[in-house]
Amino acid sequence: KEILWSIAPAGTERWLVGSGPEGRILALTVDVAARGFQLQPVADLEDNQVFALLPLSGNRVLAGTGGQAGLTLIEGDRPIARVLLPVDSVLDLLAWDATTVLAATGNPGRLYRVDLNVLARAGLAAERDSDPAALAAKGIAPWAEIRDRNVRRLARRADGAILAGSAPKGNLYLFPSEGGSPTLLVENRDAEVTDIISLPYGDTYATVNFTHGSASARIGRPTPSPAADKDSVPAPALAEAPAPERFGGRSSLIWLPAGGGFPETLASRAGVAFYRVLKRDNVLLVAAGE
């Protein structure tokens, strides 16, 4: 079974979807009138999980993957450039301008600045690049780093500053537009920032999940009772196997008002995980699970 890791708009009724564990990119076209959709393959990448997608002009898309931490530039349905970064995963991508992208990585938690014009000429690398000079020759340069393990989500404020959410601490950082040391806006423990949006007038919203308990216990199946042999003495009745553990954490929707006010929790739910947030008119829409 495939896992949907990322989705990005690529037109009015078209989205690009990144999946795992086959490392596929799919095109999802929705027909609203017919209440239907079509799903077509776009590209198969040489990695396990497609964590981040960024549609670009010229029928191009930049993909960030996990497994080998690849940055792959695709034109049409064909990868034209690929670089393997000295990290574990590429977790998010943020357009800086028409030719520049910020890539957020995990283990270690870094931000790389990517020159798309230079990357397009880099070719398809088979080995990981750890030398800064080799990366620079392919258009990739370190931009910033955090003390947490993963830079999970990115957003850009109207003034050019960069917001970054982390995991597994769940901190929210603010980087100046020129890079350098960040300001810590929100500090947490044992949490993950799953989404950030920054509005033109300065307000920022973020979703944070605080996870407790074992994921394997939640998704595991109860062990069935052994069947008794029909010719033997019936087996004694066994207690019913416990149901899989539900999500035992909690989630919060945080608001940071424009002008530097203190963070405020707008909503919090136990047993529910918040994944994405979107503002439509005066309503905040939150995508959640479990």
Side-chain angles (χ1 to χ4, degrees):
K1 294 183 179 180
E2 287 192 276
I3 302 172
L4 190 158
W5 285 115
S6 52
I7 185 167
T12 305
E13 296 179 345
R14 186 172 184 265
W15 285 262
L16 293 178
V17 176
S19 71
E22 302 297 329
R24 299 205 302 163
I25 299 176
L26 309 169
L28 173 67
T29 304
V30 178
D31 188 336
V32 177
R35 297 187 177 182
F37 65 90
Q38 292 182 343
L39 197 61
Q40 297 177 326
V42 174
D44 288 339
L45 304 185
E46 295 183 15
D47 213 335
N48 298 332
Q49 318 291 346
V50 182
F51 287 139
L53 288 172
L54 182 63
L56 305 168
S57 61
N59 198 25
R60 289 182 172 184
V61 58
L62 184 64
T65 64
Q68 299 187 70
L71 268 178
T72 303
L73 184 61
I74 301 156
E75 187 172 70
D77 59 356
R78 182 176 61 92
I80 61 172
R82 180 172 182 254
V83 176
L84 304 182
L85 301 179
V87 296
D88 280 357
S89 303
V90 179
L91 299 174
D92 202 8
L93 299 167
L94 176 69
W96 184 276
D97 56 34
T99 61
T100 311
V101 170
L102 285 182
T105 70
N107 199 26
R110 293 174 179 165
L111 291 170
Y112 287 91
R113 187 169 178 135
V114 183
D115 187 322
L116 296 173
N117 291 333
V118 179
L119 177 64
R121 302 189 296 269
L124 299 171
E127 301 294 332
R128 189 180 305 275
D129 284 306
S130 56
D131 178 43
L135 288 172
K138 297 179 179 181
I140 300 172
W143 190 77
E145 188 166 355
I146 65 172
R147 301 177 75 177
D148 204 356
R149 190 185 312 149
N150 303 296
V151 180
R152 183 64 183 84
R153 297 292 295 176
L154 294 175
R156 191 177 187 184
R157 292 201 321 192
D159 60 3
I162 301 298
L163 294 153
S166 77
K169 291 183 179 179
N171 296 335
L172 187 63
Y173 301 89
L174 179 67
F175 290 90
S177 58
E178 63 274 12
S181 299
T183 300
L184 184 60
L185 299 180
V186 177
E187 184 175 14
N188 290 306
R189 293 183 62 186
D190 301 323
E192 174 187 16
V193 177
T194 55
D195 201 13
I196 309 168
I197 58 171
S198 185
L199 303 181
Y201 52 81
D203 280 10
T204 295
Y205 298 90
T207 51
V208 184
N209 288 341
F210 301 83
T211 305
H212 305 286
S214 168
S216 61
R218 284 193 292 114
I219 65 176
R221 296 178 180 273
T223 303
S225 302
D229 185 79
K230 64 179 181 179
D231 297 325
S232 64
V233 178
L238 298 177
E240 184 179 353
E245 179 188 346
R246 292 184 59 82
F247 175 68
R250 62 182 176 86
S251 54
S252 295
L253 173 63
I254 297 173
W255 170 49
L256 289 88
F262 287 107
E264 180 178 338
T265 299
L266 298 183
S268 186
R269 296 289 184 273
V272 176
F274 291 168
Y275 293 115
R276 301 300 299 266
V277 59
L278 173 71
K279 190 172 188 296
R280 182 176 178 85
D281 298 328
N282 291 324
V283 176
L284 288 170
L285 304 174
V286 178
E290 301 185 275

